[in-house]
Amino acid sequence: MIRFLKLYRVFVAQFIKNLMEYRIDFLTGATSFLIGQVTNILFITIIFNQIPSLAGWKYYEIMFIYGYSLLPKGIDHLLTDNLWNVAYFIVRKGDFDKYLTRPINPLMHVIMEKFQFDALGELITGIILVIYSSIKLKLTPGFGEVAVILITIVFGTLIFTSVKIACCAIAFWIKRSGSILQIFYMSSDFARYPITIYNKGVRFIISYVIPFAFTSFYPAAYLLRGGNGILCAGKTMLISTVIFGISIIIWNRGISAYESAGS
Amino acid sequence: MKQFKSIKRTYGAFVNAGIQDFIAYKASFFGFFIGEIFMCFVMYFIWKAVYASTGRTDFMGFSMIDMMVYVFLTHISGFLIQTDATFSIASEIKDGSIIMRMIKPVNVDLSILFFEFGSKIMIITCVFVPVMVGLEIYRYITLGYVAFKLVRLILFMISISISYLLSFYLNLIFGYLAFYLLNIWGFGVLKEELIKFFSGAVIPIAFFPGVVRKVFSFLPFASLTYTPVMIYMEKYNGMKLIFNLSLQIVWLLVFIGLSRGLWKWAEKRLAVQGG
């Protein structure tokens, strides 16, 4: 583990140098994700000019849930973006061989290799939204709440990463799984809003099949409306551990099924 | 007629190549497509909750059914006018393969355009037709009568064709500009987000307050998806319809002119190294 952290530092340092060189690129990337979020927030604001509440949730509560959903998503985006490249290009081109020949765990290596600063657009929006709406809602988190926040963000991030690893691993069999990853990743959009607006089928899917609701709605609802904090954090931990386990199994099977492509 | 035949002979191959390309990469297209359909359903549930909260059947002049037609049609229109011109041109300029287009007796922009026609034919048959049939069945079930009008569909097709050409030339210009940037991908996402916002893909332009709405509806972005969708939904009639169609054509001509000008300028300065 210590060796891993040491290596990670080297990789990040390398990446920051790279970033300094292409500053404008970084700005365009981050701005684009920022604008995407701002558009959605404007959309919610315009709707709320007409209605007092949406399915029983007030404006700042919706903002809080929305902002909260961006935190795990943003952290995952920042750290594990290279999985997209594996799904779309690396396996297909036969470049995955490189990871197998190095003395590090291939999955670790893939993740370490890239640090996606574009994600700051999402992360910063998320942090601002959460803080601003907490002030407006006069939320005063105690020790228990802070613990829930930390646990759910860490394990929520793990849910995103696990879904990505699992979809990405499919590429080992079919060479290119970017579109499958795209479908699953996009389904996290459902979790940005209170899941009480959906019908039972959708609710079940985003809670227990692709459990993105645990990355945002459930923890946010606990922080807003109260409830059993231990149950909320525990459920998130349990579900994300299970899905992480499944994704690692798929990944390992994928690696053993992997036959190099290309010449 | 003779001229038409020669165009067909020259560019027919590009259309064919476009169809082949679409078939080869259909998996990645359908990935995006299903993702967008997810987004449509998210919007469906949000609007359902909104209409339930207001207790009214009308929200700023849109009924729930209007809203659904708007959401689905806007997303599908997005697919119809989507173009890879930015990326093609920027990456070809960068790696020098643009020279392959320049030495052939074809127009650079027309050869890309006809290539894309191929994939558009596939998108219309595989995506547009089924979604429209579904939408009209939904309208029929909720309204109790057939709301579909053939004239509107034809007008929509005319309008969306202009939108596509407009989007194509707009993207071509972005492509020439992306030449100066390295992060073509980030630049592309930025461009998409801006277009989505200004063209009313997230929030119907009609929902914006007074002055903003007026400005937005004059900008070229409104001509992209908003105008054809409004035409199909019978929100634009009579003079308003003619005016908006003309506005689309004016913007199209402006952008064709701009892109030709920029290309002439770039052509002189283009230096391809190696080979």
Side-chain angles (χ1 to χ4, degrees), chain A residues 22 24-25 32 35-36 39 42-43 47 50-51 53-55 88 92 176 179 182-183 186-187 189-190 192-193 197-199, chain B residues 25 27-28 31-32 34-35 38-39 42-43 45-47 49-50 53-54 59-60 181-183 189-190 193 197 202-203 208:
Chain A
Y22 300 118
I24 297 175
D25 278 19
S32 63
I35 289 177
T39 322
L42 261 176
F43 166 72
I47 289 180
Q50 302 291 319
I51 55 169
S53 68
L54 186 70
Y88 266 116
R92 196 176 139 88
R176 186 176 204 170
S179 54
Q182 179 81 17
I183 294 169
M186 290 279 273
S187 71
D189 286 349
F190 278 107
R192 295 197 301 217
Y193 302 99
I197 68 171
Y198 303 119
N199 63 18
Chain B
Y25 293 109
S28 75
F32 278 104
I34 294 170
F38 272 155
M39 205 53 230
V42 172
M43 299 297 265
F45 285 111
I46 291 173
W47 284 114
V50 168
S53 300
T54 54
F59 187 86
M60 294 170 122
L181 297 161
L182 287 155
N183 191 349
V189 177
L190 180 63
E193 291 295 346
F197 178 70
V202 191
I203 313 155
F208 283 102

Short mmCIF file of all heavy atoms in Angstrom, two decimals, chain A residues 22 24-25 32 35-36 39 42-43 47 50-51 53-55 88 92 176 179 182-183 186-187 189-190 192-193 197-199, chain B residues 25 27-28 31-32 34-35 38-39 42-43 45-47 49-50 53-54 59-60 181-183 189-190 193 197 202-203 208:
data_model
loop_
_atom_site.label_atom_id
_atom_site.label_comp_id
_atom_site.label_asym_id
_atom_site.label_seq_id
_atom_site.Cartn_x
_atom_site.Cartn_y
_atom_site.Cartn_z
N TYR A 22 -0.39 22.47 -20.77
CA TYR A 22 -1.60 22.67 -21.56
C TYR A 22 -2.69 23.34 -20.74
O TYR A 22 -3.75 22.78 -20.52
CB TYR A 22 -2.12 21.33 -22.09
CG TYR A 22 -1.14 20.61 -22.97
CD1 TYR A 22 -0.64 19.37 -22.63
CD2 TYR A 22 -0.73 21.19 -24.16
CE1 TYR A 22 0.27 18.72 -23.45
CE2 TYR A 22 0.18 20.56 -24.98
CZ TYR A 22 0.67 19.32 -24.62
OH TYR A 22 1.56 18.68 -25.44
N ILE A 24 -4.65 25.93 -21.26
CA ILE A 24 -5.91 26.30 -21.91
C ILE A 24 -6.82 25.09 -22.04
O ILE A 24 -8.02 25.18 -21.84
CB ILE A 24 -5.63 26.93 -23.30
CG1 ILE A 24 -4.83 28.22 -23.09
CG2 ILE A 24 -6.93 27.22 -24.04
CD1 ILE A 24 -4.40 28.88 -24.37
N ASP A 25 -6.20 23.95 -22.33
CA ASP A 25 -6.98 22.71 -22.41
C ASP A 25 -7.72 22.45 -21.13
O ASP A 25 -8.89 22.11 -21.13
CB ASP A 25 -6.02 21.53 -22.59
CG ASP A 25 -5.64 21.41 -24.02
OD1 ASP A 25 -5.81 22.39 -24.73
OD2 ASP A 25 -5.19 20.33 -24.39
N SER A 32 -16.34 23.52 -19.54
CA SER A 32 -17.44 22.85 -20.21
C SER A 32 -18.29 22.08 -19.21
O SER A 32 -19.52 22.10 -19.29
CB SER A 32 -16.92 21.93 -21.30
OG SER A 32 -16.12 20.94 -20.75
N ILE A 35 -20.33 24.64 -17.18
CA ILE A 35 -21.48 25.19 -17.90
C ILE A 35 -22.62 24.18 -17.97
O ILE A 35 -23.79 24.54 -17.78
CB ILE A 35 -21.06 25.66 -19.31
CG1 ILE A 35 -20.20 26.91 -19.19
CG2 ILE A 35 -22.27 25.95 -20.18
CD1 ILE A 35 -19.67 27.43 -20.49
N GLY A 36 -22.27 22.92 -18.18
CA GLY A 36 -23.29 21.87 -18.19
C GLY A 36 -24.11 21.87 -16.92
O GLY A 36 -25.33 21.78 -16.94
N THR A 39 -26.33 25.09 -16.52
CA THR A 39 -27.55 25.00 -17.33
C THR A 39 -28.64 24.25 -16.59
O THR A 39 -29.80 24.67 -16.55
CB THR A 39 -27.27 24.24 -18.64
OG1 THR A 39 -25.98 24.59 -19.10
CG2 THR A 39 -28.28 24.56 -19.68
N LEU A 42 -30.06 26.33 -13.78
CA LEU A 42 -30.97 27.35 -14.33
C LEU A 42 -32.33 26.74 -14.62
O LEU A 42 -33.38 27.33 -14.34
CB LEU A 42 -30.40 27.92 -15.62
CG LEU A 42 -29.68 29.24 -15.53
CD1 LEU A 42 -29.09 29.60 -16.87
CD2 LEU A 42 -30.65 30.33 -15.10
N PHE A 43 -32.29 25.52 -15.19
CA PHE A 43 -33.52 24.81 -15.51
C PHE A 43 -34.38 24.63 -14.26
O PHE A 43 -35.57 24.96 -14.24
CB PHE A 43 -33.15 23.46 -16.14
CG PHE A 43 -34.28 22.47 -16.22
CD1 PHE A 43 -35.31 22.66 -17.12
CD2 PHE A 43 -34.29 21.35 -15.40
CE1 PHE A 43 -36.34 21.74 -17.21
CE2 PHE A 43 -35.31 20.43 -15.49
CZ PHE A 43 -36.34 20.62 -16.38
N ILE A 47 -38.08 26.49 -13.33
CA ILE A 47 -39.27 25.72 -12.94
C ILE A 47 -39.79 26.20 -11.59
O ILE A 47 -40.98 26.41 -11.40
CB ILE A 47 -38.96 24.21 -12.87
CG1 ILE A 47 -38.75 23.67 -14.28
CG2 ILE A 47 -40.11 23.46 -12.22
CD1 ILE A 47 -38.45 22.20 -14.29
N GLN A 50 -42.21 28.99 -10.88
CA GLN A 50 -43.64 28.74 -11.11
C GLN A 50 -44.29 27.88 -10.03
O GLN A 50 -45.49 27.95 -9.85
CB GLN A 50 -43.84 28.05 -12.47
CG GLN A 50 -43.29 28.83 -13.65
CD GLN A 50 -44.08 30.09 -13.92
OE1 GLN A 50 -45.30 30.08 -13.85
NE2 GLN A 50 -43.39 31.18 -14.18
N ILE A 51 -43.52 27.07 -9.39
CA ILE A 51 -44.11 26.16 -8.40
C ILE A 51 -43.40 26.29 -7.06
O ILE A 51 -42.21 26.59 -7.00
CB ILE A 51 -44.04 24.69 -8.88
CG1 ILE A 51 -42.59 24.29 -9.22
CG2 ILE A 51 -44.95 24.44 -10.06
CD1 ILE A 51 -42.39 22.82 -9.43
N SER A 53 -43.07 23.79 -4.68
CA SER A 53 -42.28 22.62 -4.34
C SER A 53 -42.50 21.53 -5.37
O SER A 53 -43.51 21.51 -6.07
CB SER A 53 -42.67 22.10 -2.95
OG SER A 53 -43.98 21.57 -3.00
N LEU A 54 -41.51 20.63 -5.46
CA LEU A 54 -41.58 19.54 -6.44
C LEU A 54 -41.70 18.23 -5.68
O LEU A 54 -40.77 17.84 -4.99
CB LEU A 54 -40.32 19.56 -7.30
CG LEU A 54 -40.27 18.59 -8.48
CD1 LEU A 54 -41.23 19.02 -9.57
CD2 LEU A 54 -38.86 18.53 -9.05
N ALA A 55 -42.84 17.59 -5.80
CA ALA A 55 -43.12 16.34 -5.08
C ALA A 55 -42.77 16.47 -3.60
O ALA A 55 -42.23 15.57 -2.99
CB ALA A 55 -42.37 15.18 -5.72
N TYR A 88 -12.99 2.36 -24.42
CA TYR A 88 -13.15 2.81 -25.80
C TYR A 88 -11.98 2.41 -26.70
O TYR A 88 -12.19 1.95 -27.82
CB TYR A 88 -13.32 4.33 -25.86
CG TYR A 88 -14.77 4.79 -25.87
CD1 TYR A 88 -15.27 5.54 -24.82
CD2 TYR A 88 -15.61 4.47 -26.93
CE1 TYR A 88 -16.60 5.97 -24.84
CE2 TYR A 88 -16.93 4.89 -26.95
CZ TYR A 88 -17.42 5.64 -25.91
OH TYR A 88 -18.72 6.05 -25.92
N ARG A 92 -9.00 -2.25 -27.48
CA ARG A 92 -9.22 -2.42 -28.91
C ARG A 92 -7.93 -2.32 -29.72
O ARG A 92 -7.71 -3.06 -30.66
CB ARG A 92 -10.20 -1.36 -29.35
CG ARG A 92 -10.83 -1.58 -30.67
CD ARG A 92 -11.83 -0.46 -30.87
NE ARG A 92 -11.76 0.01 -32.23
CZ ARG A 92 -12.48 -0.54 -33.20
NH1 ARG A 92 -13.28 -1.54 -32.95
NH2 ARG A 92 -12.39 -0.08 -34.42
N ARG A 176 -14.59 -3.58 -27.27
CA ARG A 176 -14.92 -2.17 -27.10
C ARG A 176 -16.23 -2.07 -26.34
O ARG A 176 -17.27 -2.50 -26.83
CB ARG A 176 -15.08 -1.53 -28.46
CG ARG A 176 -15.29 -0.04 -28.39
CD ARG A 176 -15.33 0.54 -29.77
NE ARG A 176 -14.96 1.95 -29.71
CZ ARG A 176 -14.71 2.67 -30.78
NH1 ARG A 176 -14.77 2.15 -31.97
NH2 ARG A 176 -14.41 3.94 -30.66
N SER A 179 -19.71 2.11 -25.23
CA SER A 179 -21.12 2.48 -25.27
C SER A 179 -21.91 1.87 -24.12
O SER A 179 -22.84 2.46 -23.61
CB SER A 179 -21.73 2.10 -26.61
OG SER A 179 -21.51 0.75 -26.84
N GLN A 182 -21.18 4.02 -21.29
CA GLN A 182 -21.94 5.26 -21.48
C GLN A 182 -23.38 5.11 -20.96
O GLN A 182 -23.88 5.96 -20.23
CB GLN A 182 -21.96 5.59 -22.97
CG GLN A 182 -22.73 6.83 -23.34
CD GLN A 182 -21.93 8.09 -23.11
OE1 GLN A 182 -20.71 8.03 -22.98
NE2 GLN A 182 -22.60 9.21 -23.02
N ILE A 183 -24.02 4.00 -21.33
CA ILE A 183 -25.42 3.79 -20.92
C ILE A 183 -25.52 3.74 -19.39
O ILE A 183 -26.35 4.42 -18.80
CB ILE A 183 -25.97 2.47 -21.52
CG1 ILE A 183 -26.06 2.60 -23.03
CG2 ILE A 183 -27.33 2.13 -20.93
CD1 ILE A 183 -26.33 1.28 -23.73
N MET A 186 -24.72 7.17 -17.79
CA MET A 186 -25.78 8.16 -17.97
C MET A 186 -26.96 7.89 -17.03
O MET A 186 -27.70 8.80 -16.69
CB MET A 186 -26.29 8.16 -19.41
CG MET A 186 -25.31 8.70 -20.42
SD MET A 186 -25.27 10.49 -20.52
CE MET A 186 -26.56 10.81 -21.70
N SER A 187 -27.15 6.63 -16.65
CA SER A 187 -28.30 6.34 -15.79
C SER A 187 -28.14 6.99 -14.41
O SER A 187 -29.10 7.08 -13.65
CB SER A 187 -28.51 4.84 -15.66
OG SER A 187 -27.50 4.28 -14.87
N ASP A 189 -27.90 9.98 -14.02
CA ASP A 189 -28.69 11.22 -14.09
C ASP A 189 -29.99 11.12 -13.29
O ASP A 189 -30.47 12.11 -12.76
CB ASP A 189 -29.06 11.53 -15.55
CG ASP A 189 -27.87 12.04 -16.33
OD1 ASP A 189 -26.84 12.35 -15.68
OD2 ASP A 189 -27.96 12.14 -17.56
N PHE A 190 -30.53 9.90 -13.22
CA PHE A 190 -31.76 9.72 -12.46
C PHE A 190 -31.58 10.08 -10.99
O PHE A 190 -32.51 10.48 -10.32
CB PHE A 190 -32.22 8.25 -12.54
CG PHE A 190 -32.96 7.92 -13.80
CD1 PHE A 190 -32.37 7.16 -14.79
CD2 PHE A 190 -34.27 8.35 -13.97
CE1 PHE A 190 -33.07 6.84 -15.95
CE2 PHE A 190 -34.98 8.03 -15.12
CZ PHE A 190 -34.38 7.28 -16.12
N ARG A 192 -29.90 12.42 -9.64
CA ARG A 192 -29.68 13.82 -9.29
C ARG A 192 -30.91 14.49 -8.69
O ARG A 192 -30.82 15.56 -8.14
CB ARG A 192 -29.30 14.61 -10.55
CG ARG A 192 -28.00 14.19 -11.14
CD ARG A 192 -27.50 15.24 -12.09
NE ARG A 192 -28.45 15.47 -13.17
CZ ARG A 192 -28.07 15.72 -14.43
NH1 ARG A 192 -26.80 15.76 -14.72
NH2 ARG A 192 -28.94 15.95 -15.36
N TYR A 193 -32.06 13.84 -8.89
CA TYR A 193 -33.30 14.43 -8.40
C TYR A 193 -33.91 13.50 -7.35
O TYR A 193 -33.56 12.33 -7.29
CB TYR A 193 -34.27 14.64 -9.57
CG TYR A 193 -33.68 15.52 -10.65
CD1 TYR A 193 -33.11 14.98 -11.80
CD2 TYR A 193 -33.65 16.90 -10.48
CE1 TYR A 193 -32.55 15.79 -12.77
CE2 TYR A 193 -33.09 17.72 -11.44
CZ TYR A 193 -32.53 17.16 -12.59
OH TYR A 193 -31.97 17.97 -13.54
N ILE A 197 -39.93 11.20 -7.23
CA ILE A 197 -40.69 11.59 -8.42
C ILE A 197 -40.81 10.45 -9.44
O ILE A 197 -41.59 10.54 -10.36
CB ILE A 197 -40.10 12.85 -9.13
CG1 ILE A 197 -38.73 12.56 -9.76
CG2 ILE A 197 -40.00 14.03 -8.18
CD1 ILE A 197 -38.22 13.70 -10.64
N TYR A 198 -40.05 9.38 -9.23
CA TYR A 198 -40.09 8.29 -10.22
C TYR A 198 -41.11 7.23 -9.85
O TYR A 198 -41.54 7.15 -8.70
CB TYR A 198 -38.71 7.65 -10.35
CG TYR A 198 -37.63 8.61 -10.72
CD1 TYR A 198 -36.55 8.83 -9.90
CD2 TYR A 198 -37.72 9.34 -11.92
CE1 TYR A 198 -35.56 9.74 -10.24
CE2 TYR A 198 -36.73 10.24 -12.26
CZ TYR A 198 -35.66 10.44 -11.41
OH TYR A 198 -34.69 11.34 -11.75
N ASN A 199 -41.43 6.38 -10.82
CA ASN A 199 -42.33 5.26 -10.49
C ASN A 199 -41.52 4.13 -9.86
O ASN A 199 -40.29 4.17 -9.78
CB ASN A 199 -43.10 4.81 -11.73
CG ASN A 199 -42.20 4.27 -12.82
OD1 ASN A 199 -41.04 3.92 -12.55
ND2 ASN A 199 -42.69 4.20 -14.03
N TYR B 25 -19.91 1.17 -36.64
CA TYR B 25 -19.83 1.73 -35.29
C TYR B 25 -21.19 1.87 -34.64
O TYR B 25 -21.39 2.72 -33.79
CB TYR B 25 -19.09 3.07 -35.31
CG TYR B 25 -17.64 2.89 -35.67
CD1 TYR B 25 -17.15 3.30 -36.89
CD2 TYR B 25 -16.79 2.26 -34.77
CE1 TYR B 25 -15.83 3.10 -37.23
CE2 TYR B 25 -15.47 2.05 -35.10
CZ TYR B 25 -14.99 2.48 -36.32
OH TYR B 25 -13.69 2.27 -36.64
N ALA B 27 -22.74 0.18 -32.47
CA ALA B 27 -22.80 -0.05 -31.03
C ALA B 27 -22.57 1.24 -30.26
O ALA B 27 -23.30 1.55 -29.33
CB ALA B 27 -21.79 -1.10 -30.61
N SER B 28 -21.58 2.02 -30.69
CA SER B 28 -21.30 3.22 -29.91
C SER B 28 -22.40 4.26 -30.13
O SER B 28 -22.75 4.99 -29.22
CB SER B 28 -19.92 3.78 -30.24
OG SER B 28 -19.92 4.40 -31.47
N GLY B 31 -25.26 3.33 -27.85
CA GLY B 31 -24.93 3.67 -26.47
C GLY B 31 -25.36 5.08 -26.15
O GLY B 31 -26.06 5.34 -25.18
N PHE B 32 -24.97 6.01 -27.02
CA PHE B 32 -25.36 7.40 -26.82
C PHE B 32 -26.87 7.56 -26.90
O PHE B 32 -27.47 8.29 -26.14
CB PHE B 32 -24.69 8.29 -27.87
CG PHE B 32 -23.30 8.65 -27.50
CD1 PHE B 32 -22.22 8.04 -28.12
CD2 PHE B 32 -23.06 9.58 -26.51
CE1 PHE B 32 -20.93 8.35 -27.76
CE2 PHE B 32 -21.78 9.90 -26.15
CZ PHE B 32 -20.71 9.28 -26.77
N ILE B 34 -29.31 5.39 -26.23
CA ILE B 34 -30.01 4.92 -25.05
C ILE B 34 -29.77 5.88 -23.88
O ILE B 34 -30.67 6.17 -23.10
CB ILE B 34 -29.61 3.46 -24.71
CG1 ILE B 34 -30.11 2.55 -25.83
CG2 ILE B 34 -30.18 3.02 -23.38
CD1 ILE B 34 -29.61 1.14 -25.77
N GLY B 35 -28.55 6.40 -23.79
CA GLY B 35 -28.25 7.41 -22.77
C GLY B 35 -29.18 8.61 -22.87
O GLY B 35 -29.73 9.09 -21.89
N PHE B 38 -32.63 7.81 -21.71
CA PHE B 38 -32.68 7.89 -20.26
C PHE B 38 -32.97 9.31 -19.82
O PHE B 38 -33.82 9.58 -18.99
CB PHE B 38 -31.33 7.49 -19.65
CG PHE B 38 -31.18 6.02 -19.39
CD1 PHE B 38 -29.93 5.44 -19.34
CD2 PHE B 38 -32.29 5.24 -19.19
CE1 PHE B 38 -29.78 4.09 -19.11
CE2 PHE B 38 -32.16 3.87 -18.95
CZ PHE B 38 -30.90 3.31 -18.92
N MET B 39 -32.21 10.23 -20.43
CA MET B 39 -32.36 11.65 -20.08
C MET B 39 -33.79 12.10 -20.36
O MET B 39 -34.39 12.82 -19.55
CB MET B 39 -31.35 12.45 -20.92
CG MET B 39 -30.94 13.77 -20.33
SD MET B 39 -30.34 13.60 -18.66
CE MET B 39 -31.31 14.89 -17.87
N VAL B 42 -35.93 10.94 -17.55
CA VAL B 42 -35.73 11.76 -16.35
C VAL B 42 -36.58 13.02 -16.47
O VAL B 42 -37.32 13.39 -15.56
CB VAL B 42 -34.24 12.14 -16.17
CG1 VAL B 42 -34.07 13.15 -15.06
CG2 VAL B 42 -33.40 10.91 -15.89
N MET B 43 -36.50 13.65 -17.66
CA MET B 43 -37.29 14.87 -17.89
C MET B 43 -38.78 14.58 -17.79
O MET B 43 -39.53 15.37 -17.25
CB MET B 43 -36.99 15.44 -19.28
CG MET B 43 -35.55 15.85 -19.47
SD MET B 43 -35.07 17.16 -18.37
CE MET B 43 -35.34 18.55 -19.41
N PHE B 45 -40.29 12.38 -15.93
CA PHE B 45 -40.71 12.29 -14.53
C PHE B 45 -40.68 13.65 -13.84
O PHE B 45 -41.53 13.96 -13.02
CB PHE B 45 -39.84 11.27 -13.78
CG PHE B 45 -40.18 9.85 -14.10
CD1 PHE B 45 -39.29 9.06 -14.82
CD2 PHE B 45 -41.40 9.31 -13.71
CE1 PHE B 45 -39.61 7.74 -15.13
CE2 PHE B 45 -41.72 8.00 -14.02
CZ PHE B 45 -40.83 7.21 -14.73
N ILE B 46 -39.67 14.46 -14.18
CA ILE B 46 -39.61 15.79 -13.58
C ILE B 46 -40.84 16.59 -13.97
O ILE B 46 -41.51 17.18 -13.12
CB ILE B 46 -38.33 16.53 -14.01
CG1 ILE B 46 -37.11 15.87 -13.38
CG2 ILE B 46 -38.39 17.99 -13.59
CD1 ILE B 46 -35.81 16.43 -13.87
N TRP B 47 -41.16 16.58 -15.27
CA TRP B 47 -42.32 17.37 -15.70
C TRP B 47 -43.61 16.84 -15.11
O TRP B 47 -44.50 17.61 -14.77
CB TRP B 47 -42.39 17.41 -17.24
CG TRP B 47 -41.38 18.34 -17.81
CD1 TRP B 47 -40.31 18.01 -18.58
CD2 TRP B 47 -41.32 19.76 -17.65
NE1 TRP B 47 -39.60 19.14 -18.90
CE2 TRP B 47 -40.19 20.21 -18.34
CE3 TRP B 47 -42.11 20.69 -16.97
CZ2 TRP B 47 -39.82 21.56 -18.39
CZ3 TRP B 47 -41.75 22.03 -17.01
CH2 TRP B 47 -40.62 22.45 -17.71
N ALA B 49 -43.94 15.52 -12.20
CA ALA B 49 -44.00 16.05 -10.84
C ALA B 49 -44.32 17.53 -10.85
O ALA B 49 -45.06 18.03 -9.99
CB ALA B 49 -42.67 15.80 -10.13
N VAL B 50 -43.78 18.26 -11.84
CA VAL B 50 -44.04 19.69 -11.93
C VAL B 50 -45.53 19.94 -12.16
O VAL B 50 -46.17 20.73 -11.45
CB VAL B 50 -43.22 20.35 -13.07
CG1 VAL B 50 -43.71 21.76 -13.35
CG2 VAL B 50 -41.75 20.37 -12.70
N SER B 53 -47.47 19.30 -9.15
CA SER B 53 -47.30 20.33 -8.12
C SER B 53 -48.12 21.58 -8.40
O SER B 53 -48.64 22.21 -7.49
CB SER B 53 -45.84 20.74 -7.99
OG SER B 53 -45.06 19.64 -7.64
N THR B 54 -48.21 21.95 -9.69
CA THR B 54 -48.97 23.17 -10.00
C THR B 54 -50.46 22.91 -9.91
O THR B 54 -51.22 23.82 -9.63
CB THR B 54 -48.68 23.69 -11.43
OG1 THR B 54 -48.92 22.63 -12.35
CG2 THR B 54 -47.27 24.17 -11.58
N PHE B 59 -48.55 24.85 -18.28
CA PHE B 59 -47.37 25.44 -17.64
C PHE B 59 -46.70 26.34 -18.66
O PHE B 59 -46.11 25.87 -19.62
CB PHE B 59 -46.43 24.31 -17.20
CG PHE B 59 -45.27 24.79 -16.37
CD1 PHE B 59 -45.37 24.94 -15.00
CD2 PHE B 59 -44.05 25.08 -16.98
CE1 PHE B 59 -44.30 25.38 -14.25
CE2 PHE B 59 -42.97 25.50 -16.22
CZ PHE B 59 -43.10 25.65 -14.86
N MET B 60 -46.87 27.65 -18.50
CA MET B 60 -46.31 28.64 -19.41
C MET B 60 -46.68 28.36 -20.87
O MET B 60 -45.85 28.44 -21.77
CB MET B 60 -44.80 28.71 -19.25
CG MET B 60 -44.40 29.23 -17.90
SD MET B 60 -42.65 29.04 -17.62
CE MET B 60 -42.16 30.72 -17.32
N LEU B 181 -6.29 24.84 -30.83
CA LEU B 181 -6.33 24.29 -29.49
C LEU B 181 -5.91 22.83 -29.53
O LEU B 181 -6.06 22.16 -30.54
CB LEU B 181 -7.75 24.37 -28.94
CG LEU B 181 -8.27 25.80 -28.77
CD1 LEU B 181 -9.78 25.78 -28.68
CD2 LEU B 181 -7.66 26.43 -27.55
N LEU B 182 -5.40 22.34 -28.40
CA LEU B 182 -4.99 20.95 -28.39
C LEU B 182 -6.09 20.04 -27.88
O LEU B 182 -6.28 18.96 -28.35
CB LEU B 182 -3.74 20.81 -27.52
CG LEU B 182 -2.52 21.40 -28.21
CD1 LEU B 182 -1.49 21.81 -27.20
CD2 LEU B 182 -1.95 20.40 -29.20
N ASN B 183 -6.86 20.53 -26.89
CA ASN B 183 -7.91 19.72 -26.30
C ASN B 183 -9.17 19.80 -27.15
O ASN B 183 -10.14 20.44 -26.79
CB ASN B 183 -8.18 20.22 -24.87
CG ASN B 183 -9.06 19.27 -24.10
OD1 ASN B 183 -9.64 18.35 -24.66
ND2 ASN B 183 -9.17 19.51 -22.82
N VAL B 189 -16.89 19.42 -26.06
CA VAL B 189 -17.89 19.35 -24.99
C VAL B 189 -18.39 20.75 -24.65
O VAL B 189 -19.60 20.98 -24.52
CB VAL B 189 -17.32 18.67 -23.73
CG1 VAL B 189 -18.35 18.66 -22.62
CG2 VAL B 189 -16.89 17.25 -24.03
N LEU B 190 -17.47 21.69 -24.58
CA LEU B 190 -17.83 23.07 -24.28
C LEU B 190 -18.82 23.61 -25.31
O LEU B 190 -19.86 24.18 -24.99
CB LEU B 190 -16.57 23.94 -24.26
CG LEU B 190 -16.74 25.43 -23.96
CD1 LEU B 190 -17.31 25.63 -22.57
CD2 LEU B 190 -15.42 26.17 -24.07
N GLU B 193 -22.27 22.00 -24.97
CA GLU B 193 -23.03 22.52 -23.83
C GLU B 193 -23.61 23.89 -24.14
O GLU B 193 -24.75 24.19 -23.81
CB GLU B 193 -22.14 22.61 -22.57
CG GLU B 193 -21.74 21.26 -22.01
CD GLU B 193 -22.91 20.44 -21.48
OE1 GLU B 193 -24.02 21.00 -21.30
OE2 GLU B 193 -22.72 19.24 -21.25
N PHE B 197 -27.61 24.84 -24.49
CA PHE B 197 -28.25 25.87 -23.68
C PHE B 197 -28.96 26.90 -24.56
O PHE B 197 -30.14 27.17 -24.38
CB PHE B 197 -27.20 26.56 -22.80
CG PHE B 197 -27.78 27.66 -21.97
CD1 PHE B 197 -28.64 27.36 -20.93
CD2 PHE B 197 -27.48 28.98 -22.24
CE1 PHE B 197 -29.19 28.37 -20.16
CE2 PHE B 197 -28.02 30.00 -21.47
CZ PHE B 197 -28.88 29.69 -20.43
N VAL B 202 -32.39 22.27 -23.17
CA VAL B 202 -32.64 21.98 -21.76
C VAL B 202 -33.90 22.71 -21.31
O VAL B 202 -34.81 22.13 -20.73
CB VAL B 202 -31.45 22.40 -20.87
CG1 VAL B 202 -31.62 21.86 -19.48
CG2 VAL B 202 -30.14 21.93 -21.47
N ILE B 203 -33.95 24.01 -21.58
CA ILE B 203 -35.08 24.83 -21.18
C ILE B 203 -35.69 25.41 -22.45
O ILE B 203 -34.99 26.09 -23.21
CB ILE B 203 -34.62 26.00 -20.28
CG1 ILE B 203 -33.67 25.49 -19.20
CG2 ILE B 203 -35.82 26.72 -19.69
CD1 ILE B 203 -32.74 26.53 -18.68
N PHE B 208 -37.97 31.57 -20.96
CA PHE B 208 -37.07 32.61 -20.49
C PHE B 208 -37.81 33.93 -20.37
O PHE B 208 -38.78 34.17 -21.10
CB PHE B 208 -35.88 32.76 -21.44
CG PHE B 208 -34.86 31.69 -21.29
CD1 PHE B 208 -34.80 30.64 -22.19
CD2 PHE B 208 -33.96 31.71 -20.24
CE1 PHE B 208 -33.87 29.63 -22.05
CE2 PHE B 208 -33.01 30.71 -20.10
CZ PHE B 208 -32.97 29.66 -21.01
#
